[in-house]
Amino acid sequence: MTNLEYIVEVRKVKKSFKDVKAVNGVDLQIRPGEFLALLGPNGAGKTTLVEMIEGIQHPDEGEILIDGKKWKSHQQELHHMIGLSLQETRFMDKLTAYETLRLFASFYKLDSSRVNEVFKLIGLGEKKKAFVNNLSGGQRQRLALGVALLNKPKILLLDEPTTGLDPNARREIWNILLDLKKEHNTSLILTSHYMEEAEYLCDRIVIMDQGNILAEGTLEEILTITGGHRSLDDLFISLTGRHLYD
Amino acid sequence: MIKITNHQLFRLTAAHFAEIIREPSVIFWGVVFPILMAWGLGIAFTQKAGIQAKIAIFKDVYHQNTSENTKAINFLTANSVKKDSTYSVLLKNDKLGDVKLNFIETSASNAYTLLKKGSVSLIIEDKKDGVNYHFDPASTEAKAAYNLATNLFLKGPLFYSSNESEIIPLTLQGTRYVDFLIPGLLAMGIMMACCWGISYTIIDRRSKKLLRRMVATPMKKSNLLFALITARFTMNLVEALLLFVFAWIYFGVKIQGNWLALIVLFIAGNIAFSGISILLSSRTSNTEVGNGIINAVVTPMMVVSGVFFSYHNFPDWTVNLIKYLPLTMIADGFRTIFNEGAGFMDVWQAALVLTLVGTVSFLIGLKIFKWY
Ligand SMILES: Nc1ncnc2c1ncn2[C@@H]1O[C@H](COP(=O)(O)OP(=O)(O)O)[C@@H](O)[C@H]1O
Ligand SMILES: [Mg+2]
């Protein structure tokens, strides 16, 4: 265990694809146990930033420290410390929910007892034997969340975990995450373009557009500092002239 | 020590195997289709006693709309059984097997339609005092029909029955078309199963971001590929056994050579195509591009490697290239073991080359492999 102030530190990170500056010099710090929302429209650079923190993509410039360590030198250790769900991952269609979790559990050398715990956590117990391709969108997202939680990660990174879900399914995911917040000291980075999600779940909000951070702080801080907007959507329109989502 | 059923290699292999056997189309293409193909082609091209030859016959322009009889029709009226507009002549021979000639009387234009459709191979234009034969001289089937017909008209149906002592019918094992076909189908099965089963699966996983998700865990990358290959190999073994058992029971196909050599070559073939499959799928995440890449490799080999017909019909200079294609090496090796009684000494070189091809392709594939 370390006593670092920040569990994740992103320093002056840049990443371009050909002529697109996906992430354009971002600084970001997350405290242990903190829930952070990365809010921004499509193409803002959320996925690119999150995947760099996950060690899947690599910054062109700048550095990323997780628990004080870099991906390059501590890959194996960091894999055990984080849990993640990617935007739109599809698991193997012909495996059951249980087999899927068993498979991923084996990567962490975990056995069926942890798999059963996770099923309780994500409330998918009665779908254990269902094939992945027979699960609803919400159930699949909960399965993806379950995969992310298997190794009791210190840092959880969820890329648009509720996009495309109906309000009920969305709320089920929120409740799982709130329980997690109460009972464990997990840090969360969640990307979204739903303001309610950020308001409801997160301690701190970061607003991104075109690879840059436009504003950050608690909801009240952001709304007052930027001049008394009534809602995040109002704020976003005044910052960029566009709605947060179309 | 971690329990084997909790080990990632076990879990990965089990997952891949479950995925294979739960997909109905995999079972169809891997198990049912090869057996159907063996059955269909085996029956269609394996010569049996009682062959039929179909010949179209039409009256020339001077007689076409008359009831006046022409040369061949006259002969057939006297020497055959007529039903509707078909004259049948049965040529009997104990050694050669009986042949039934069916002459279908029709119009000139319909005769050509029948020829184009392949339902006849020879057309007879019947005249007052002679006949003309229309056929493709490049077709052995047409030439045989021509020989039978000319002899029939010249010497009568008994010409075929002379029991010539110099003819000794072969009863050797391994000389029929099915004996040629089954080893070829077994070889093709390995290629198809690996290239579609391994390559396509990897590309599909990459396109669904599942590879990316998996390598964002402490999973060992080589375990994923190794499990995929192991699951596929197990399935290939089952598919090959089922096809062989069918051919053995239904057609009496036998392994005359050393079956240990057969197993060694089978394993080497699987190594070759598993390696090639990893290489083919190492970069693209677009399943359509993947489709194209796989087809570009699989289709030419299926055509030239002599799965269905001997590649010795191709020009000599190409034969020397074709011989060294992986699929050809497997098919040729299987055939010598099945039909010529070959043993380990006859196939070890092919097995070694195939293993090397597989290993090198695998290593190159791994080197350039895109996980995300
Ligand atoms: N692999 C890639 N190749 C090319 N361009 C990319 C790639 N990934 C992302 N981009 C571009 O980078 C920008 C940011 O994308 P992304 O991080 O996915 O945004 P978000 O997740 O906020 O929607 C977009 O303009 C996107 O088109
Ligand atoms: Mg995104």
Side-chain angles (χ1 to χ4, degrees):
Chain A
M1 289 306 273
T2 44
N3 298 310
L4 292 171
E5 186 179 0
Y6 300 115
I7 187 92
V8 176
E9 269 198 274
V10 175
R11 293 182 187 151
K12 298 195 172 51
V13 161
K14 289 190 182 176
K15 174 89 182 171
S16 305
F17 299 100
K18 297 210 179 83
D19 49 349
V20 181
K21 287 179 177 154
V23 174
N24 195 14
V26 163
D27 286 286
L28 196 65
Q29 297 84 29
I30 295 128
R31 289 195 171 78
E34 187 178 29
F35 274 30
L36 177 106
L38 262 182
L39 223 50
N42 273 333
K46 306 183 294 293
T47 296
T48 308
L49 178 58
V50 167
E51 289 194 349
M52 285 190 289
I53 299 172
E54 290 162 349
I56 293 174
Q57 300 197 47
H58 307 288
D60 298 338
E61 280 178 46
E63 61 177 9
I64 293 174
L65 296 175
I66 294 164
D67 203 26
K69 302 174 189 82
K70 290 186 187 174
W71 274 104
K72 221 174 168 165
S73 46
H74 293 82
Q75 196 185 48
Q76 204 60 2
E77 210 174 315
L78 293 185
H79 274 320
H80 279 284
M81 200 185 289
I82 65 165
L84 60 100
S85 78
L86 300 172
Q87 194 177 342
E88 298 162 14
T89 304
R90 307 237 336 252
F91 294 109
M92 291 152 96
D93 284 341
K94 295 283 172 187
L95 288 195
T96 64
Y98 180 76
E99 288 165 338
T100 304
L101 277 179
R102 252 338 265 282
L103 175 64
F104 277 88
S106 74
F107 302 158
Y108 298 98
K109 299 192 165 73
L110 296 166
D111 60 17
S112 54
S113 59
R114 177 60 187 158
V115 169
N116 292 326
E117 274 172 36
V118 168
F119 267 110
K120 283 209 193 81
L121 221 58
I122 57 173
L124 216 56
E126 77 275 28
K127 288 287 171 188
K128 271 185 184 176
K129 291 200 172 127
F131 286 125
V132 168
N133 65 345
N134 293 334
L135 297 180
S136 71
Q139 290 164 343
R140 276 183 213 199
Q141 281 298 357
R142 274 189 278 159
L143 180 64
L145 183 56
V147 171
L149 293 175
L150 274 169
N151 58 329
K152 302 186 179 162
K154 278 168 99 177
I155 307 154
L156 190 58
L157 300 115
L158 307 176
D159 198 356
E160 303 201 17
T162 66
T163 298
L165 301 188
D166 62 63
N168 269 334
R170 188 172 297 160
R171 201 158 281 276
E172 279 168 354
I173 297 220
W174 291 356
N175 289 337
I176 298 168
L177 294 175
L178 283 181
D179 285 347
L180 207 67
K181 191 173 171 65
K182 267 183 253 154
E183 285 162 30
H184 302 276
N185 197 32
T186 310
S187 313
L188 171 72
I189 302 178
L190 165 139
T191 75
S192 181
H193 39 221
Y194 300 114
M195 296 160 302
E196 321 87 271
E197 189 156 290
E199 291 180 38
Y200 190 76
L201 286 178
C202 294
D203 310 309
R204 203 150 57 93
I205 294 170
V206 169
I207 298 182
M208 268 188 93
D209 192 28
Q210 299 183 334
N212 294 304
I213 292 180
L214 302 184
E216 83 172 277
T218 62
L219 181 61
E220 297 82 54
E221 278 170 5
I222 290 187
L223 293 180
T224 46
I225 288 170
T226 52
H229 293 280
R230 262 179 297 119
S231 74
L232 276 176
D233 199 32
D234 280 352
L235 165 68
F236 197 79
I237 294 169
S238 83
L239 286 173
T240 67
R242 285 179 286 127
H243 281 280
L244 200 45
Y245 53 97
D246 357 281
Chain B
M1 235 344 249
I2 141 168
K3 235 172 75 187
I4 174 99
T5 51
N6 289 332
H7 195 279
Q8 54 173 274
L9 194 54
F10 177 89
R11 282 283 143 205
L12 281 163
T13 311
H16 289 134
F17 196 72
E19 202 184 32
I20 294 172
I21 59 173
R22 285 172 190 169
E23 182 58 66
S25 72
V26 171
I27 301 298
F28 177 78
W29 290 110
V31 178
V32 181
F33 185 71
I35 289 178
L36 282 179
M37 195 135 85
W39 178 70
L41 290 174
I43 285 186
F45 292 103
T46 299
Q47 306 282 23
K48 290 181 300 290
I51 316 160
Q52 273 205 1
K54 284 187 179 172
I55 298 163
I57 182 163
F58 67 88
K59 291 180 180 176
D60 70 1
V61 282
Y62 306 107
H63 303 86
Q64 57 189 358
N65 294 319
T66 68
S67 57
E68 198 179 338
N69 273 349
T70 41
K71 179 98 177 179
I73 300 274
N74 266 335
F75 177 89
L76 289 171
T77 312
N79 292 289
S80 72
V81 185
K82 187 178 181 193
K83 192 173 177 239
D84 299 327
S85 49
T86 301
Y87 301 87
S88 300
V89 182
L90 187 64
L91 305 175
K92 286 176 154 308
N93 187 303
D94 290 340
K95 281 184 178 172
L96 297 175
D98 298 348
V99 176
K100 194 174 182 193
L101 292 181
N102 283 333
F103 296 86
I104 303 155
E105 188 181 357
T106 181
S107 66
S109 66
N110 194 43
Y112 283 100
T113 311
L114 290 176
L115 185 84
K116 283 176 194 160
K117 283 186 184 153
S119 39
V120 303
S121 56
L122 175 68
I123 298 173
I124 293 177
E125 181 183 6
D126 201 12
K127 299 193 286 201
K128 183 82 196 149
D129 37 36
V131 295
N132 285 350
Y133 296 95
H134 303 242
F135 64 96
D136 173 8
S139 153
T140 29
E141 191 191 348
K143 269 196 277 195
Y146 162 73
N147 279 328
L148 290 173
T150 46
N151 276 312
L152 173 67
F153 295 144
L154 214 62
K155 304 175 190 164
L158 284 179
F159 88 90
Y160 194 68
S161 306
S162 63
N163 208 341
E164 275 144 3
S165 55
E166 76 259 24
I167 299 174
I168 299 160
L170 279 180
T171 49
L172 281 177
Q173 263 289 324
T175 54
R176 300 164 304 167
Y177 179 65
V178 275
D179 298 311
F180 178 86
L181 179 68
I182 297 299
L185 285 181
L186 288 170
M188 188 178 79
I190 298 174
M191 174 178 79
M192 292 307 225
C194 288
C195 287
W196 292 106
I198 298 176
S199 288
Y200 195 81
T201 305
I202 289 177
I203 296 166
D204 186 55
R205 299 269 164 81
R206 194 183 283 118
S207 81
K208 288 177 175 167
K209 293 195 185 172
L210 186 52
L211 281 186
R212 181 191 285 243
R213 182 62 189 86
M214 285 174 145
V215 295
T217 70
M219 182 193 73
K220 244 180 105 179
K221 291 170 181 167
S222 55
N223 278 344
L224 173 69
L225 298 181
F226 192 65
L228 197 56
I229 292 172
T230 309
R232 196 60 251 181
F233 174 75
T234 312
M235 194 61 200
N236 288 358
L237 198 61
V238 172
E239 290 172 4
L241 274 175
L242 289 175
L243 177 59
F244 171 70
V245 167
F246 168 79
W248 175 47
I249 292 173
Y250 192 84
F251 289 112
V253 169
K254 289 203 175 72
I255 304 170
Q256 300 185 49
N258 183 333
W259 59 269
L260 267 174
L262 185 69
I263 292 174
V264 168
L265 191 60
F266 183 82
I267 294 173
N270 273 277
I271 294 175
F273 277 108
S274 298
I276 291 171
S277 302
I278 298 290
L279 180 60
L280 293 182
S281 60
S282 57
R283 300 293 298 174
T284 181
S285 57
N286 182 327
T287 48
E288 268 152 43
V289 173
N291 242 319
I293 295 175
I294 296 169
N295 268 318
V297 170
V298 159
T299 314
M301 276 201 258
M302 212 168 85
V303 174
V304 305
S305 285
V307 169
F308 300 103
F309 300 99
S310 170
Y311 56 81
H312 290 286
N313 295 324
F314 289 109
D316 284 342
W317 66 270
T318 55
V319 168
N320 282 323
L321 291 175
I322 291 171
K323 266 195 205 156
Y324 294 103
L325 291 173
L327 181 60
T328 320
M329 283 196 282
I330 305 173
D332 284 356
F334 281 0
R335 276 188 193 122
T336 58
I337 296 171
F338 267 81
N339 299 331
E340 296 164 31
F344 188 72
M345 292 314 287
D346 304 287
V347 297
W348 72 269
Q349 283 165 310
L352 187 68
V353 173
L354 287 166
T355 307
L356 280 177
V357 166
T359 312
V360 170
S361 311
F362 181 84
L363 291 176
I364 298 174
L366 202 59
K367 185 104 191 139
I368 61 173
F369 205 88
K370 245 174 82 175
W371 291 94
Y372 15 80

mmCIF file of all heavy atoms in Angstrom, chain A residues 190-215:
data_model
loop_
_atom_site.group_PDB
_atom_site.id
_atom_site.type_symbol
_atom_site.label_atom_id
_atom_site.label_comp_id
_atom_site.label_asym_id
_atom_site.label_seq_id
_atom_site.Cartn_x
_atom_site.Cartn_y
_atom_site.Cartn_z
ATOM 1 N N LEU A 190 -15.398 7.479 -14.932
ATOM 2 C CA LEU A 190 -16.516 7.058 -15.748
ATOM 3 C C LEU A 190 -16.711 8.083 -16.856
ATOM 4 O O LEU A 190 -16.695 9.280 -16.589
ATOM 5 C CB LEU A 190 -17.733 6.966 -14.832
ATOM 6 C CG LEU A 190 -19.134 6.879 -15.388
ATOM 7 C CD1 LEU A 190 -19.901 5.889 -14.563
ATOM 8 C CD2 LEU A 190 -19.826 8.224 -15.324
ATOM 9 N N THR A 191 -16.817 7.620 -18.091
ATOM 10 C CA THR A 191 -17.102 8.581 -19.154
ATOM 11 C C THR A 191 -18.573 8.496 -19.478
ATOM 12 O O THR A 191 -19.205 7.457 -19.318
ATOM 13 C CB THR A 191 -16.322 8.299 -20.442
ATOM 14 O OG1 THR A 191 -16.921 7.193 -21.096
ATOM 15 C CG2 THR A 191 -14.867 8.008 -20.167
ATOM 16 N N SER A 192 -19.104 9.622 -19.906
ATOM 17 C CA SER A 192 -20.541 9.657 -20.140
ATOM 18 C C SER A 192 -20.863 10.878 -20.970
ATOM 19 O O SER A 192 -20.088 11.815 -21.043
ATOM 20 C CB SER A 192 -21.255 9.744 -18.785
ATOM 21 O OG SER A 192 -22.656 9.767 -18.970
ATOM 22 N N HIS A 193 -22.027 10.848 -21.650
ATOM 23 C CA HIS A 193 -22.538 12.134 -22.059
ATOM 24 C C HIS A 193 -23.904 12.396 -21.447
ATOM 25 O O HIS A 193 -24.679 13.170 -21.957
ATOM 26 C CB HIS A 193 -22.503 12.358 -23.579
ATOM 27 C CG HIS A 193 -22.857 11.180 -24.405
ATOM 28 N ND1 HIS A 193 -22.175 10.868 -25.541
ATOM 29 C CD2 HIS A 193 -23.782 10.249 -24.260
ATOM 30 C CE1 HIS A 193 -22.695 9.775 -26.054
ATOM 31 N NE2 HIS A 193 -23.669 9.384 -25.309
ATOM 32 N N TYR A 194 -24.170 11.725 -20.332
ATOM 33 C CA TYR A 194 -25.390 12.024 -19.586
ATOM 34 C C TYR A 194 -25.035 12.827 -18.336
ATOM 35 O O TYR A 194 -24.303 12.364 -17.470
ATOM 36 C CB TYR A 194 -26.098 10.741 -19.151
ATOM 37 C CG TYR A 194 -26.503 9.860 -20.295
ATOM 38 C CD1 TYR A 194 -25.926 8.614 -20.473
ATOM 39 C CD2 TYR A 194 -27.467 10.289 -21.202
ATOM 40 C CE1 TYR A 194 -26.304 7.802 -21.519
ATOM 41 C CE2 TYR A 194 -27.845 9.485 -22.260
ATOM 42 C CZ TYR A 194 -27.259 8.233 -22.417
ATOM 43 O OH TYR A 194 -27.628 7.441 -23.452
ATOM 44 N N MET A 195 -25.585 14.033 -18.237
ATOM 45 C CA MET A 195 -25.286 14.876 -17.086
ATOM 46 C C MET A 195 -25.815 14.292 -15.797
ATOM 47 O O MET A 195 -25.164 14.344 -14.766
ATOM 48 C CB MET A 195 -25.897 16.251 -17.271
ATOM 49 C CG MET A 195 -25.308 16.986 -18.424
ATOM 50 S SD MET A 195 -26.430 18.279 -18.927
ATOM 51 C CE MET A 195 -27.889 17.384 -19.281
ATOM 52 N N GLU A 196 -27.038 13.696 -15.851
ATOM 53 C CA GLU A 196 -27.627 13.143 -14.606
ATOM 54 C C GLU A 196 -26.688 12.118 -14.004
ATOM 55 O O GLU A 196 -26.566 12.016 -12.781
ATOM 56 C CB GLU A 196 -28.969 12.433 -14.842
ATOM 57 C CG GLU A 196 -29.902 13.051 -15.825
ATOM 58 C CD GLU A 196 -29.596 12.551 -17.225
ATOM 59 O OE1 GLU A 196 -28.745 13.216 -17.863
ATOM 60 O OE2 GLU A 196 -30.168 11.560 -17.690
ATOM 61 N N GLU A 197 -26.042 11.342 -14.887
ATOM 62 C CA GLU A 197 -25.172 10.282 -14.408
ATOM 63 C C GLU A 197 -24.025 10.883 -13.585
ATOM 64 O O GLU A 197 -23.724 10.422 -12.491
ATOM 65 C CB GLU A 197 -24.621 9.526 -15.609
ATOM 66 C CG GLU A 197 -23.875 8.278 -15.269
ATOM 67 C CD GLU A 197 -23.872 7.315 -16.449
ATOM 68 O OE1 GLU A 197 -24.932 6.748 -16.762
ATOM 69 O OE2 GLU A 197 -22.826 7.181 -17.091
ATOM 70 N N ALA A 198 -23.432 11.924 -14.152
ATOM 71 C CA ALA A 198 -22.326 12.583 -13.465
ATOM 72 C C ALA A 198 -22.808 13.185 -12.149
ATOM 73 O O ALA A 198 -22.163 13.040 -11.102
ATOM 74 C CB ALA A 198 -21.735 13.666 -14.363
ATOM 75 N N GLU A 199 -23.964 13.861 -12.194
ATOM 76 C CA GLU A 199 -24.489 14.491 -10.980
ATOM 77 C C GLU A 199 -24.779 13.472 -9.893
ATOM 78 O O GLU A 199 -24.506 13.674 -8.723
ATOM 79 C CB GLU A 199 -25.816 15.212 -11.301
ATOM 80 C CG GLU A 199 -25.649 16.432 -12.172
ATOM 81 C CD GLU A 199 -27.006 17.071 -12.444
ATOM 82 O OE1 GLU A 199 -27.856 17.099 -11.526
ATOM 83 O OE2 GLU A 199 -27.208 17.526 -13.576
ATOM 84 N N TYR A 200 -25.367 12.344 -10.298
ATOM 85 C CA TYR A 200 -25.861 11.360 -9.356
ATOM 86 C C TYR A 200 -24.732 10.563 -8.708
ATOM 87 O O TYR A 200 -24.779 10.238 -7.538
ATOM 88 C CB TYR A 200 -26.804 10.420 -10.117
ATOM 89 C CG TYR A 200 -27.600 9.474 -9.251
ATOM 90 C CD1 TYR A 200 -28.709 9.928 -8.528
ATOM 91 C CD2 TYR A 200 -27.277 8.130 -9.181
ATOM 92 C CE1 TYR A 200 -29.448 9.069 -7.749
ATOM 93 C CE2 TYR A 200 -28.016 7.249 -8.404
ATOM 94 C CZ TYR A 200 -29.105 7.731 -7.691
ATOM 95 O OH TYR A 200 -29.838 6.871 -6.919
ATOM 96 N N LEU A 201 -23.679 10.255 -9.504
ATOM 97 C CA LEU A 201 -22.675 9.311 -9.028
ATOM 98 C C LEU A 201 -21.380 9.938 -8.544
ATOM 99 O O LEU A 201 -20.707 9.385 -7.688
ATOM 100 C CB LEU A 201 -22.299 8.345 -10.161
ATOM 101 C CG LEU A 201 -23.267 7.248 -10.569
ATOM 102 C CD1 LEU A 201 -22.666 6.485 -11.726
ATOM 103 C CD2 LEU A 201 -23.515 6.313 -9.393
ATOM 104 N N CYS A 202 -21.019 11.072 -9.143
ATOM 105 C CA CYS A 202 -19.608 11.440 -9.047
ATOM 106 C C CYS A 202 -19.335 12.605 -8.117
ATOM 107 O O CYS A 202 -20.138 13.517 -7.970
ATOM 108 C CB CYS A 202 -19.059 11.730 -10.435
ATOM 109 S SG CYS A 202 -19.068 10.227 -11.420
ATOM 110 N N ASP A 203 -18.137 12.555 -7.475
ATOM 111 C CA ASP A 203 -17.697 13.627 -6.596
ATOM 112 C C ASP A 203 -17.212 14.805 -7.417
ATOM 113 O O ASP A 203 -17.308 15.945 -7.004
ATOM 114 C CB ASP A 203 -16.529 13.156 -5.723
ATOM 115 C CG ASP A 203 -16.841 11.844 -5.046
ATOM 116 O OD1 ASP A 203 -17.911 11.763 -4.423
ATOM 117 O OD2 ASP A 203 -16.031 10.899 -5.164
ATOM 118 N N ARG A 204 -16.655 14.484 -8.558
ATOM 119 C CA ARG A 204 -16.016 15.535 -9.331
ATOM 120 C C ARG A 204 -16.330 15.307 -10.802
ATOM 121 O O ARG A 204 -16.445 14.166 -11.260
ATOM 122 C CB ARG A 204 -14.501 15.495 -9.108
ATOM 123 C CG ARG A 204 -13.796 16.806 -9.375
ATOM 124 C CD ARG A 204 -12.561 16.928 -8.482
ATOM 125 N NE ARG A 204 -11.670 15.810 -8.677
ATOM 126 C CZ ARG A 204 -10.658 15.815 -9.545
ATOM 127 N NH1 ARG A 204 -10.399 16.869 -10.280
ATOM 128 N NH2 ARG A 204 -9.887 14.741 -9.652
ATOM 129 N N ILE A 205 -16.447 16.398 -11.535
ATOM 130 C CA ILE A 205 -16.808 16.323 -12.945
ATOM 131 C C ILE A 205 -15.727 17.015 -13.770
ATOM 132 O O ILE A 205 -15.245 18.092 -13.399
ATOM 133 C CB ILE A 205 -18.179 17.008 -13.186
ATOM 134 C CG1 ILE A 205 -19.283 16.215 -12.466
ATOM 135 C CG2 ILE A 205 -18.478 17.134 -14.671
ATOM 136 C CD1 ILE A 205 -20.613 16.917 -12.423
ATOM 137 N N VAL A 206 -15.337 16.380 -14.850
ATOM 138 C CA VAL A 206 -14.387 16.989 -15.787
ATOM 139 C C VAL A 206 -15.084 17.088 -17.123
ATOM 140 O O VAL A 206 -15.608 16.090 -17.627
ATOM 141 C CB VAL A 206 -13.107 16.133 -15.912
ATOM 142 C CG1 VAL A 206 -12.252 16.619 -17.062
ATOM 143 C CG2 VAL A 206 -12.319 16.148 -14.611
ATOM 144 N N ILE A 207 -15.111 18.284 -17.671
ATOM 145 C CA ILE A 207 -15.759 18.446 -18.969
ATOM 146 C C ILE A 207 -14.703 18.568 -20.057
ATOM 147 O O ILE A 207 -13.789 19.398 -19.974
ATOM 148 C CB ILE A 207 -16.685 19.684 -18.971
ATOM 149 C CG1 ILE A 207 -17.783 19.466 -17.930
ATOM 150 C CG2 ILE A 207 -17.287 19.904 -20.340
ATOM 151 C CD1 ILE A 207 -18.783 20.588 -17.862
ATOM 152 N N MET A 208 -14.822 17.701 -21.065
ATOM 153 C CA MET A 208 -13.842 17.660 -22.154
ATOM 154 C C MET A 208 -14.503 17.997 -23.467
ATOM 155 O O MET A 208 -15.659 17.659 -23.697
ATOM 156 C CB MET A 208 -13.279 16.234 -22.306
ATOM 157 C CG MET A 208 -12.027 15.935 -21.536
ATOM 158 S SD MET A 208 -11.400 14.318 -22.033
ATOM 159 C CE MET A 208 -10.261 14.763 -23.335
ATOM 160 N N ASP A 209 -13.752 18.644 -24.331
ATOM 161 C CA ASP A 209 -14.185 18.779 -25.725
ATOM 162 C C ASP A 209 -12.960 18.952 -26.591
ATOM 163 O O ASP A 209 -12.016 19.651 -26.211
ATOM 164 C CB ASP A 209 -15.152 19.969 -25.879
ATOM 165 C CG ASP A 209 -15.844 19.947 -27.242
ATOM 166 O OD1 ASP A 209 -16.003 18.842 -27.803
ATOM 167 O OD2 ASP A 209 -16.216 21.030 -27.731
ATOM 168 N N GLN A 210 -12.956 18.308 -27.736
ATOM 169 C CA GLN A 210 -11.872 18.399 -28.707
ATOM 170 C C GLN A 210 -10.491 18.229 -28.094
ATOM 171 O O GLN A 210 -9.555 18.960 -28.394
ATOM 172 C CB GLN A 210 -11.966 19.727 -29.459
ATOM 173 C CG GLN A 210 -13.281 19.801 -30.208
ATOM 174 C CD GLN A 210 -13.429 21.055 -31.040
ATOM 175 O OE1 GLN A 210 -12.817 22.074 -30.730
ATOM 176 N NE2 GLN A 210 -14.226 20.963 -32.080
ATOM 177 N N GLY A 211 -10.392 17.258 -27.193
ATOM 178 C CA GLY A 211 -9.095 16.912 -26.632
ATOM 179 C C GLY A 211 -8.642 17.775 -25.473
ATOM 180 O O GLY A 211 -7.563 17.569 -24.929
ATOM 181 N N ASN A 212 -9.461 18.751 -25.092
ATOM 182 C CA ASN A 212 -9.073 19.638 -23.994
ATOM 183 C C ASN A 212 -10.061 19.556 -22.840
ATOM 184 O O ASN A 212 -11.241 19.266 -23.045
ATOM 185 C CB ASN A 212 -9.040 21.093 -24.477
ATOM 186 C CG ASN A 212 -7.951 21.305 -25.511
ATOM 187 O OD1 ASN A 212 -6.780 21.031 -25.261
ATOM 188 N ND2 ASN A 212 -8.352 21.753 -26.698
ATOM 189 N N ILE A 213 -9.552 19.856 -21.638
ATOM 190 C CA ILE A 213 -10.448 19.969 -20.492
ATOM 191 C C ILE A 213 -10.957 21.404 -20.426
ATOM 192 O O ILE A 213 -10.182 22.358 -20.404
ATOM 193 C CB ILE A 213 -9.714 19.587 -19.190
ATOM 194 C CG1 ILE A 213 -9.409 18.083 -19.218
ATOM 195 C CG2 ILE A 213 -10.546 19.949 -17.968
ATOM 196 C CD1 ILE A 213 -8.691 17.571 -17.996
ATOM 197 N N LEU A 214 -12.291 21.542 -20.442
ATOM 198 C CA LEU A 214 -12.870 22.887 -20.442
ATOM 199 C C LEU A 214 -13.150 23.371 -19.027
ATOM 200 O O LEU A 214 -13.046 24.549 -18.731
ATOM 201 C CB LEU A 214 -14.177 22.898 -21.239
ATOM 202 C CG LEU A 214 -14.093 22.438 -22.699
ATOM 203 C CD1 LEU A 214 -15.454 22.594 -23.367
ATOM 204 C CD2 LEU A 214 -13.033 23.219 -23.458
ATOM 205 N N ALA A 215 -13.536 22.446 -18.149
ATOM 206 C CA ALA A 215 -13.850 22.842 -16.771
ATOM 207 C C ALA A 215 -13.751 21.624 -15.894
ATOM 208 O O ALA A 215 -13.925 20.503 -16.359
ATOM 209 C CB ALA A 215 -15.281 23.404 -16.701
#
